[in-house]
Amino acid sequence: MSKDNPSKFEKALEFAKVQQAKVPKPKIPDGWTPSFEWDESTGEGKLITDPKPTDITAVKDWNQFLLDNGLDPEVFYVEGDTMKYRTWTGVGGDKMVHYSCTIKKKIPGGVDKELSQSLIKKINKFSVKAPKKSKGDGAFVTLFSDWQIGKNEGGGTEQLVERVEIGVAESIQKFKQYQSSGMNLDEIVIGCLGDIVEGCDGFYSQQTYSVEYDDRAQQKIATELMFQGIKEFSKLGIPVTVITVPGNHGENRKNGRSYTTFMDNKDLAVAYYVDFAMRQNTNSFSHVKHIYPEHLDDDICLTYNLHGNVLGFVHGHQFRSGGGAFVPAKAQAWHKNQKYGDYDIGYANILNFGHFHHYTFNEDPQQIIGAPALDGGSKWIEQTHGKLTKAGMLSYTVDKYGVNNLYKAQKKSIKDL
């Protein structure tokens, strides 16, 4: 087949870029973009300087100011010896300032005022069409995190399957309670935060002798569990969005280190298998959307717009340094650095992560949520860190005010529901 008309089989080679949220990055106000615009016919221009820390010496010498901005004071001057300035707090907390002034030649020309006024009127008439309002006033979010299918601890995979079934049922029960109480929830978001499978080697001491299924079996079980869990939520009659990010246990490792690519991850493989299966039955799953990184240039953390919020999803193994040993502080330090680097995830006002196995919530001022693990615990973690985790499945609602109704599903039996 030709490249313009690939066959259904050739489409297996296509890798689309993952869909990210439209994050509200801070915009420079109109008229303040650093620039120098010059009109030779008028002998006049406008200079807007680059941002600078406010502790830099204030402008006292106009000639030096012009030289600093690449203009010859023998040819140019600042009109009226006056300028406007704008100050703000930068990403790192520094007070910043930049200046705006009119620059003229010492032998100026004239200006077409009629033309300039006409342009101003056209700009003022321009407006952006408001987006359509959502039918509902909130959404429901549940987090699938750190199932680590294949471990033999805490009752092994058999009890893990039971915890998934109970967690899904209990979370759906809460969803129905919210609806019965009058909440108008218009979307379900399932955040799959990684480490869905355990892997067989390369993550911690004695791991190989603590697993009861090989890699293929782990992925098979994970795919079927994930499919069943998503299917149960899809029965609730509203759109479902499944967002998957890769964890460290999904990596292919050699001598304890990942050696292939970020996209070569078992968590993403499971996401693809479930997505592919549901696409074969659009009559039943047309309202289920899957978002996961697939292209080699994709990020391994994702963002999603939801009722005026930007939700961020990340596994958490990226939290390498900062914040000390306290996990919420590590997450916050990482999140700040992402914003400083101007990455999309840094602009999430609701950040969801896993990896650390404990449920945590921090609001300062962004809402940072650590999801509990659903695995059966780890003797290695208990003996080396003295920590004991409590398995559960976290859910919450989201509206224009942010996160509400945080709930950890941790019932021990379907009979308890």
Side-chain angles (χ1 to χ4, degrees):
M1 298 291 287
S2 68
K3 291 185 178 180
D4 296 331
N5 187 27
S7 70
K8 292 182 179 179
F9 290 92
E10 289 174 324
K11 288 183 178 180
L13 297 175
E14 295 179 358
F15 295 90
K17 287 279 288 182
V18 72
Q19 176 184 347
Q20 293 276 18
K22 294 180 180 179
V23 298
K25 295 185 178 181
K27 295 181 179 179
I28 297 174
D30 290 344
W32 282 96
T33 302
S35 61
F36 178 56
E37 299 175 356
W38 181 259
D39 188 344
E40 185 62 31
S41 66
T42 66
E44 182 174 316
K46 184 176 182 180
L47 171 66
I48 301 173
T49 67
D50 290 323
K52 299 176 175 130
T54 55
D55 58 0
I56 290 179
T57 304
V59 177
K60 296 179 181 179
D61 183 343
W62 292 114
N63 288 346
Q64 188 59 49
F65 172 77
L66 290 168
L67 286 170
D68 290 343
N69 286 280
L71 299 170
D72 186 353
E74 296 295 321
V75 179
F76 302 97
Y77 71 98
V78 177
E79 183 184 42
D81 288 340
T82 60
M83 62 173 59
K84 297 177 182 179
Y85 67 92
R86 171 178 170 265
T87 63
W88 72 100
T89 301
V91 173
D94 295 326
K95 295 292 184 181
M96 305 294 289
V97 63
H98 57 180
Y99 301 98
S100 171
C101 58
T102 299
I103 303 293
K104 289 189 174 183
K105 268 190 175 181
K106 292 191 174 180
I107 304 176
V111 60
D112 190 337
K113 292 184 178 180
E114 183 179 348
L115 176 60
S116 66
Q117 290 299 320
S118 174
L119 292 174
I120 290 172
K121 288 180 180 179
K122 289 180 180 179
I123 292 171
N124 289 336
K125 288 180 179 180
F126 178 80
S127 63
V128 179
K129 187 177 181 181
K132 294 180 180 180
K133 292 183 179 180
S134 172
K135 294 182 179 179
D137 51 21
F140 182 84
V141 179
T142 189
L143 303 176
F144 293 175
S145 183
D146 296 270
W147 293 2
Q148 295 184 217
I149 293 166
K151 289 175 68 172
N152 64 9
E153 298 177 270
T157 305
E158 184 175 341
Q159 286 196 19
L160 181 279
V161 171
E162 186 176 345
R163 285 193 295 273
V164 172
E165 181 181 5
I166 297 169
V168 168
E170 189 176 353
S171 298
I172 288 175
Q173 183 183 68
K174 293 302 295 185
F175 172 86
K176 291 180 178 179
Q177 289 174 0
Y178 298 146
Q179 281 192 318
S180 298
S181 68
M183 286 189 186
N184 186 7
L185 303 173
D186 59 9
E187 184 175 359
I188 294 169
V189 174
I190 301 175
C192 301
L193 298 179
D195 282 6
I196 299 302
V197 298
E198 168 68 4
C200 293
D201 180 58
F203 299 95
Y204 54 86
S205 301
Q206 304 170 343
Q207 181 191 17
T208 304
Y209 289 91
S210 69
V211 295
E212 53 190 1
Y213 289 99
D214 62 21
D215 278 335
R216 179 185 176 279
Q218 289 180 25
Q219 291 182 71
K220 174 186 178 297
I221 297 167
T223 301
E224 295 191 17
L225 277 180
M226 192 68 67
F227 181 90
Q228 190 62 39
I230 295 169
K231 187 174 76 170
E232 292 302 309
F233 280 101
S234 74
K235 296 176 182 178
L236 298 175
I238 61 175
V240 176
T241 302
V242 184
I243 300 174
T244 301
V245 292
N248 55 302
H249 276 260
E251 296 171 346
N252 283 295
R253 291 195 170 193
K254 183 185 294 182
N255 298 322
R257 295 181 180 276
S258 173
Y259 69 98
T260 54
T261 68
F262 284 130
M263 298 304 112
D264 188 15
N265 191 290
K266 300 177 184 71
D267 294 317
L268 300 181
V270 169
Y272 170 77
Y273 298 146
V274 176
D275 178 25
F276 181 81
M278 291 187 169
R279 282 189 277 120
Q280 308 315 301
N281 185 356
T282 55
N283 290 333
S284 298
F285 295 109
S286 61
H287 64 300
V288 179
K289 177 172 65 174
H290 294 262
I291 301 174
Y292 50 91
E294 190 173 16
H295 193 280
L296 284 176
D297 291 332
D298 278 336
D299 294 333
I300 59 172
C301 43
L302 301 181
T303 51
Y304 188 68
N305 296 116
L306 195 63
H307 285 279
N309 303 279
V310 176
L311 272 64
F313 298 88
V314 59
H315 179 59
H317 60 305
Q318 299 96 321
F319 305 165
R320 293 291 185 179
S321 61
F326 187 50
V327 170
K330 291 175 74 70
Q332 187 180 55
W334 178 84
H335 193 219
K336 286 181 178 179
N337 287 338
Q338 295 299 302
K339 188 169 186 179
Y340 183 81
D342 202 34
Y343 295 106
D344 288 344
I345 192 73
Y347 293 89
N349 64 298
I350 301 172
L351 180 68
N352 303 271
F353 69 92
H355 186 62
F356 295 95
H357 290 218
H358 290 79
Y359 161 52
T360 59
F361 177 76
N362 185 44
E363 186 175 40
D364 185 28
Q366 314 305 344
Q367 296 174 313
I368 301 179
I369 303 168
L374 207 59
D375 78 344
S378 169
K379 182 65 69 177
W380 189 81
I381 289 291
E382 293 170 16
Q383 297 299 311
T384 57
H385 293 73
K387 294 183 177 180
L388 180 65
T389 60
K390 294 184 179 180
M393 184 178 290
L394 194 68
S395 65
Y396 57 88
T397 59
V398 174
D399 60 17
K400 62 182 180 180
Y401 301 108
V403 172
N404 298 288
N405 302 303
L406 281 157
Y407 180 79
K408 181 181 177 183
Q410 52 188 348
K411 295 286 196 301
K412 303 299 182 185
S413 170
I414 290 289
K415 296 179 181 178
D416 296 334
L417 300 179

